[in-house]
């Protein structure tokens, strides 16, 4: 990446003696976004009465069956339970329904959602549309009150399907594994950003200030569903079901059709677009077919900027789904919740932050930042430092750590054993730090001059660090043994999958290169139009994602074959990407990009398979 200045080459509590810093952290706990409650200790509670309405476009749907589901926790897309059973709730002639409170919330924080099935969307008496299935994501069961009113329509259905796509199976079944309830909760919050639960309109009222959604795309999809919803379920649904057909077969209802589209956003784009009417009930809509059916939200576009974003670089995601961002300018790191809410309007300041590139989150949710420059208090040579912050935003490292060979660092990675690896660009070496910031590597680092112009680092399952270096990659053991491999032209990003394969974003060659665990070249995949891949990440299914810095797009490769899955120019050309640099995946399946040229952060909703965060070595599913 050439925007930033450079030289040369084109959940636990940590035990330490930092009592003062930790005491200060107690008053800054708002920065963490942590939930200290334990829903497993809660007891079922009586549900509140509330009401709602079902409409197909602007047309009331009468006689629709209403189901209130509690999301499951026994597996992805499994275990959802209808809390209203055996009672039957249906909509009246005007599409309204009332839920009397004759149900129990398993816990106050159990995630719930409404589903409407069948009904008459304003047709002749006695006509029922069995293909009509719509939903609205609500959130905490305990938040339902007598003043709650929920709108179930096509826009709410699109918002729910995209946000919950990684937790949803056929038949409106939503569920997570028992170890990923945080990812599920965060998915419901994102649904609320896309569309409002009370009005069924986009965007949601909870959307943070300055954030931008693809409302016209969402409404276009809503109109595509409406063409089927506002019918008898016969021939009017055929275009939608044909366009949403996958290798697993054709859908038979509107919700499953939406889910197929979000899972295969690059498939049949023109056919999906043609299945809706431009004069449909939701406006505004796209005037021409989009590049793809991905759905994005871009945060940080406030005046002044939200969260302190100032030429943002690398990203890290903590155990709560909060997104941490290194900023080249400004002397702050930025922190956003999984729903895009900044922890601080101006960012989290640090006395040691200066031209920050890399960022890593350790197993305690502490934040480590690679500063390309260092302030005078750190040393007298301004050769960079590493800053550490607690999970609540307290700077633990003062002016920054400089021992162990730190020398103009550009990348950082946290290992599951508590150590921190740093890529030292100017000295072409590696630094290894203990979790208290003390040096494990010597005063010159590991492999001085043996890691030419290293810019990024990733860790394998054996605690080896792999570095992106000039024209290749280098593997460094925890004892400092170095092995070099030739493979590439100008590597800028590096990631490692569960099988130990090493994936490199070859920036100037506009290619993605795969190395085996032994360092030999397995695949070289050329990308189009000199897009300049920069950040790279692997999702929970082994798919490879790279941010195209010059292409303002996102490319996906199937990890098993290295075949390009995304459109030829990448996903995201409809989103406001501008020189995307960093890339990270969260436990909800949202894919995050930092826009170095736009001072914003873009979230692609539900696009990737979730991974456990923070990332400590190769990615695993939560």
């Amino acid at each position: 990446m050439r925007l930033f200045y450079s030289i040369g080459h084109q959940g636990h509590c940590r035990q330490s003696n930092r009592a003062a810093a930790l005491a200060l952290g107690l008053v800054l706990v708002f920065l963490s976004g942590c939930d200290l409650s334990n829903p497993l200790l809660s007891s079922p509670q009586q549900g509140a009465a509330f009401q709602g309405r079902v409409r197909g476009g602007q047309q009331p749907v009468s006689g629709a069956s209403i189901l209130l589901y509690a999301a499951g926790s026994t597996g992805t897309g499994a275990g959802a339970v209808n809390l209203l059973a055996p009672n039957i709730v249906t909509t009246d002639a005007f599409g309204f329904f009332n839920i009397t409170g004759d149900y129990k919330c398993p816990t106050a924080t159990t995630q719930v959602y409404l589903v409407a099935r069948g009904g008459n969307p304003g047709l002749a008496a006695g006509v029922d549309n069995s293909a009509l299935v719509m939903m609205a994501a609500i959130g905490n069961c305990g938040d339902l009150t007598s003043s709650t009113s929920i709108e179930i329509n096509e826009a709410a259905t699109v918002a729910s399907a995209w946000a919950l796509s990684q937790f949803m199976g056929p038949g409106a079944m939503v569920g997570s594994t028992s170890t990923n309830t945080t990812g599920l909760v965060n998915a419901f919050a994102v649904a609320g950003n896309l569309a409002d639960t009370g009005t069924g309109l986009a965007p949601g009222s909870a959307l943070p200030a300055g954030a931008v959604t693809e409302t016209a795309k969402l409404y276009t999809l809503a109109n595509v569903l409406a063409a089927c919803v506002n019918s008898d379920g016969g021939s009017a649904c055929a275009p939608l079901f044909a366009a949403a057909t996958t290798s697993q077969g054709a859908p038979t209802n509107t919700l499953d059709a939406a889910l197929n589209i979000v899972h295969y956003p690059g498939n049949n784009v023109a056919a999906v677009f043609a299945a809706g009417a431009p004069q449909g009930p939701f406006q505004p809509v796209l005037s021409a077919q989009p590049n793809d059916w991905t759905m994005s939200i871009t945060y940080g576009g406030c005046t002044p900027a939200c969260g302190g974003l100032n030429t943002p670089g690398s990203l890290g995601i903590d155990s709560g789904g909060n997104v941490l961002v290194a900023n080249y300018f400004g002397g702050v790191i930025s922190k956003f919740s999984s729903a895009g809410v900044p922890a601080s309007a101006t960012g989290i300041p640090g006395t040691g932050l200066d031209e920050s590139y890399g960022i890593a989150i350790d197993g305690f949710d502490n934040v480590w930042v690679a500063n390309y420059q260092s302030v005078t208090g750190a040393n007298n040579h301004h050769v960079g430092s590493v800053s550490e912050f607690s999970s609540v935003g307290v700077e633990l490292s003062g002016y920054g750590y400089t021992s162990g060979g730190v020398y103009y660092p550009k990348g950082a990675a946290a290992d599951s054993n508590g150590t921190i690896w740093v890529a030292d660009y100017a000295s072409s070496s590696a630094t290894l730090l203990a979790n208290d910031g003390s040096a494990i590597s010597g005063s010159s680092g590991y492999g001085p001059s043996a890691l030419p112009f290293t810019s990024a680092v990733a860790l394998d399952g054996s605690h080896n660090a792999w570095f992106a270096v000039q024209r290749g990659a280098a593997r460094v053991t925890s004892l400092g043994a170095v092995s070099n491999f030739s493979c590439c032209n100008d590597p800028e990003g590096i990631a490692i999958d569960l099988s130990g394969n090493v994936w490199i974003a070859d920036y100037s060659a506009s290619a993605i290169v795969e190395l085996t665990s032994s360092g030999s070249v397995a695949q070289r995949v050329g990308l189009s139009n000199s897009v300049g891949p920069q950040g790279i990440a692997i999702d929970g299914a082994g798919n490879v994602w790279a941010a195209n810095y010059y292409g303002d797009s996102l490319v996906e490769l199937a990890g098993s074959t290295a075949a390009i899955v995304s459109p030829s120019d990448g996903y995201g050309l409809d989103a406001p990407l501008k020189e995307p640099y960093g890339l990270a995946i969260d436990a909800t399946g949202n894919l995050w990009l930092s826009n170095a040229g736009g001072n914003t952060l873009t979230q692609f909703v539900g696009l990737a398979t979730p991974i456990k965060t923070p990332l400590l070595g190769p990615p695993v599913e939560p």
Side-chain angles (χ1 to χ4, degrees), residues 137-166:
I138 297 173
N140 292 335
C141 191
D143 290 346
L144 292 167
T145 69
S146 59
S147 62
T148 299
S149 181
I150 306 295
E151 182 86 3
I152 307 176
N153 63 13
E154 294 90 345
T157 301
V158 171
S160 301
W162 262 250
L164 300 174
S165 62
Q166 297 299 332

Side-chain angles (χ1 to χ4, degrees), residues 163-378:
L164 300 174
S165 62
Q166 297 299 332
F167 301 93
M168 188 182 300
M173 291 291 101
V174 174
S176 71
T177 60
S178 60
T179 55
N180 196 22
T181 55
T182 296
L184 178 66
V185 169
N186 292 343
F188 273 82
V190 173
N193 281 351
L194 291 175
D196 194 84
T197 57
T199 65
L201 299 177
S205 58
L207 187 71
V212 177
T213 65
E214 295 186 71
T215 296
K217 181 182 283 188
L218 189 150
Y219 277 168
T220 299
L221 287 161
N223 286 341
V224 169
L225 299 186
C228 176
V229 166
N230 295 299
S231 75
D232 62 4
S235 59
C237 296
L240 168 63
F241 293 163
T245 295
T246 71
S247 58
Q248 284 73 49
T252 58
N253 65 70
T254 51
L255 181 57
D256 286 348
L259 192 60
N260 282 2
I261 295 169
V262 67
H263 281 160
Y264 298 91
N267 285 8
N268 302 328
V269 174
V272 172
F273 181 76
Q279 68 274 18
F282 295 95
Q283 298 293 327
V285 295
L286 299 174
S287 58
Q289 74 178 60
N291 179 71
D292 55 62
W293 294 113
T294 60
M295 192 70 62
S296 72
I297 308 175
T298 297
Y299 303 101
C302 304
T303 304
C306 294
L309 293 171
N310 197 339
T311 314
S314 298
L315 306 176
I317 299 178
D318 68 16
S319 62
N322 302 298
V323 183
L324 284 301
V325 190
N327 291 290
Y328 189 77
F329 294 114
V332 300
I333 56 174
S334 299
K335 182 175 184 178
F336 291 81
S337 75
S338 61
V341 178
S344 168
T346 56
I348 302 170
T351 58
L353 298 174
D354 193 1
E355 297 184 8
S356 305
Y357 275 99
I359 196 166
I361 316 296
D362 69 19
F364 307 100
D365 281 339
N366 294 316
V367 184
W368 299 75
V369 185
N371 305 306
Y372 194 71
Q373 290 286 337
S374 53
V375 297
T376 302

